[in-house]
Amino acid sequence: MFAYFLLPIACFYVGKIYEFKRVWFFQLFLLIVIGLFLCGGYMTGSDWRQYEKDYTLIGSGGAVRYEAGYVLLNKVFNELGFGFWPFLILLKLFAFISVVLLFILFSKNYWLALGLFLSFNAYFMFIDNPLRNLMAASFLWLAAIAFNCGLLFISILLVFLASQFHLATLICLPFIGLGMIGFEKTGKVFLTIMIAMFWVVFSNQSLIMGSAIWVLSLLNLSYVPSYFFDPDNLYTSGQQFSVGLFLRAILFFLILLNREKLTKDNSAGEIAFNFSLIYLITAKMALTVPILGRVSMCFAPFFWIAFAQSTIFIRRSYREVLIILMLMISCVTVFSIISSSYKYVPYSNYLFYALIGDELDYSFRSKYNPLESPF
């Protein structure tokens, strides 16, 4: 349980201590530890139960109603003789490497960005692990890197690949377009008014769900989950206010104040700013309709990149206080996440059981955390 707290704290510490930042092998070691922790989760999480059944079904020639890219990947790994858990861990490692590359290439202050991402987003994405969403997000992160390098065709191709892993990418398309077009000529006052208007509009659950269904119907998709049509479903029935979203709004105000410095002669800074704004808007949508949090999570790394970069432009004494405050908030957030359900504690890692040669059966694994978790 304490590892959930120690990893973000380590990121904050390494980001602060200049001597550690110069020692590349120490940084690499910490990234490997974080990667193995996030990607090796065994009896934690929830979605793996169905994905494991589907992996076996696809391997035996059965059909599942998933996106073509994800099904193809299942078939390829089955043909290569991989078991489900090596398959799952390799996919999560691909996602982890993608987001780490994004942080390193887009931010000089990437350890702070990674620490905040761990605290607020990564445990849901990698431990609870909505796998298809995570894969789609990975391709979008790589698309942003390609776009920043001027590789427009590759960027479009990667966005297309993302859509082959989760239909939520299609709902993201208007926001991706906005993020690529940019807001560099838009004034701060206008942006503030625009955000406020979006927040008011996106407080309407029926409007959000109707718009999502309209986009999916335009694309003539044969499979739309039934909960899209049920306003009282757990996935679609949300709330109007949260402390976490209010905190993000305050942090975005800091990003907005430093926008000129963040984006001046810096295309990566422009992309990070644009998508941090998109994240704030989609996070409000996700609060109203929780299932759309899987849209919002694609843009989360950009928000933390923009915030981490913005702290560079603050007076040092203020920056120290702000980072300590964010560390405290991060610890509270981590506790809130891991104590919210059985999915995080107790933590177990597949690699440990693989090393000792102990293959636990599905029934035991499926029941373990719900029975043993204190939460």
Side-chain angles (χ1 to χ4, degrees):
M1 175 175 174
F2 292 108
Y4 286 106
F5 296 92
L6 291 176
L7 294 179
I9 291 171
C11 291
F12 275 78
Y13 190 66
V14 173
K16 179 177 170 54
I17 305 301
Y18 178 70
E19 288 76 12
F20 282 165
K21 288 195 286 186
R22 291 187 298 177
V23 182
W24 68 267
F25 60 85
F26 178 83
Q27 295 186 71
L28 180 61
F29 173 76
L30 181 55
L31 285 174
I32 290 172
V33 170
I34 294 171
L36 293 179
F37 180 83
L38 291 178
C39 303
Y42 195 24
M43 290 174 277
T44 53
S46 57
D47 286 10
W48 65 264
R49 293 167 174 81
Q50 186 60 47
Y51 283 130
E52 184 172 355
K53 290 179 180 179
D54 294 334
Y55 186 80
T56 304
L57 179 62
I58 293 169
S60 62
V64 294
R65 299 187 70 181
Y66 287 139
E67 295 79 3
Y70 179 74
V71 174
L72 178 61
L73 212 55
N74 275 257
K75 289 180 178 178
V76 169
F77 274 82
N78 266 295
E79 287 294 322
L80 293 173
F82 281 81
F84 171 73
W85 285 98
F87 162 76
L88 178 64
I89 289 170
L90 285 172
L91 261 58
K92 290 202 284 185
L93 281 172
F94 170 78
F96 179 70
I97 292 168
S98 300
V99 77
V100 167
L101 279 175
L102 184 72
F103 284 130
I104 291 173
L105 295 175
F106 274 57
S107 177
K108 295 178 182 177
N109 206 3
Y110 57 86
W111 279 110
L112 175 60
L114 179 58
L116 290 165
F117 176 68
L118 279 175
S119 303
F120 287 84
N121 306 103
Y123 293 147
F124 168 72
M125 296 170 74
F126 287 88
I127 301 293
D128 191 2
N129 191 219
L131 180 61
R132 287 159 39 244
N133 295 92
L134 181 64
M135 290 301 297
S138 304
F139 284 109
L140 292 179
W141 298 332
L142 293 175
I145 293 173
F147 185 80
N148 185 53
C149 295
L151 305 173
L152 181 60
F153 175 76
I154 293 176
S155 179
I156 293 171
L157 178 62
L158 287 166
V159 172
F160 171 76
L161 286 174
S163 72
Q164 299 306 299
F165 283 85
H166 205 284
L167 60 84
T169 308
L170 301 173
I171 302 174
C172 287
L173 287 178
F175 297 109
I176 294 170
L178 277 174
M180 295 303 185
I181 292 169
F183 302 96
E184 58 269 15
K185 294 182 179 179
T186 309
K188 295 176 184 177
V189 175
F190 181 82
L191 280 176
T192 304
I193 295 171
M194 184 180 76
I195 292 168
M197 289 176 63
F198 269 114
W199 275 32
V200 171
V201 170
F202 288 148
S203 296
N204 187 317
Q205 179 193 25
S206 299
L207 177 62
I208 296 173
M209 294 308 299
S211 301
I213 293 167
W214 178 71
V215 170
L216 297 175
S217 64
L218 277 180
L219 297 165
N220 196 29
L221 292 177
S222 59
Y223 169 62
V224 179
S226 59
Y227 53 70
F228 267 82
F229 303 95
D230 181 5
D232 299 317
N233 189 282
L234 174 65
Y235 294 111
T236 57
S237 181
Q239 56 192 38
Q240 298 301 319
F241 175 82
S242 79
V243 174
L245 186 60
F246 181 67
L247 171 66
R248 287 169 175 80
I250 294 173
L251 298 182
F252 182 77
F253 182 68
L254 175 65
I255 296 170
L256 189 59
L257 288 176
N258 291 282
R259 183 178 67 162
E260 285 77 13
K261 297 174 184 176
L262 181 65
T263 61
K264 185 178 181 181
D265 301 321
N266 182 1
S267 59
E270 289 180 12
I271 294 171
F273 174 80
N274 294 339
F275 283 129
S276 67
L277 173 57
I278 298 299
Y279 174 67
L280 194 64
I281 293 170
T282 56
K284 173 56 182 171
M285 291 172 56
L287 183 66
T288 307
V289 181
I291 189 62
L292 295 180
R294 304 190 179 202
V295 173
S296 174
M297 77 180 199
C298 298
F299 306 110
F302 299 99
F303 183 85
W304 300 119
I305 288 168
F307 172 75
Q309 280 295 97
S310 296
T311 62
I312 295 173
F313 308 118
I314 302 173
R315 188 183 302 175
R316 182 171 182 175
S317 58
Y318 294 155
R319 182 168 66 245
E320 298 286 337
V321 173
L322 178 61
I323 291 174
I324 291 171
L325 180 61
M326 288 306 300
L327 177 58
M328 294 169 62
I329 293 172
S330 294
C331 289
V332 172
T333 301
V334 168
F335 180 78
S336 175
I337 291 170
I338 67 173
S339 63
S340 63
S341 78
Y342 66 85
K343 299 171 186 177
Y344 302 96
V345 179
Y347 175 83
S348 54
N349 194 291
Y350 172 79
L351 299 176
F352 169 78
Y353 289 93
L355 286 173
I356 64 174
D358 190 3
E359 188 79 19
L360 302 177
D361 67 81
Y362 177 88
S363 178
F364 178 85
R365 288 184 279 111
S366 182
K367 295 175 182 176
Y368 184 76
N369 264 50
L371 291 176
E372 299 297 329
S373 176
F375 307 113

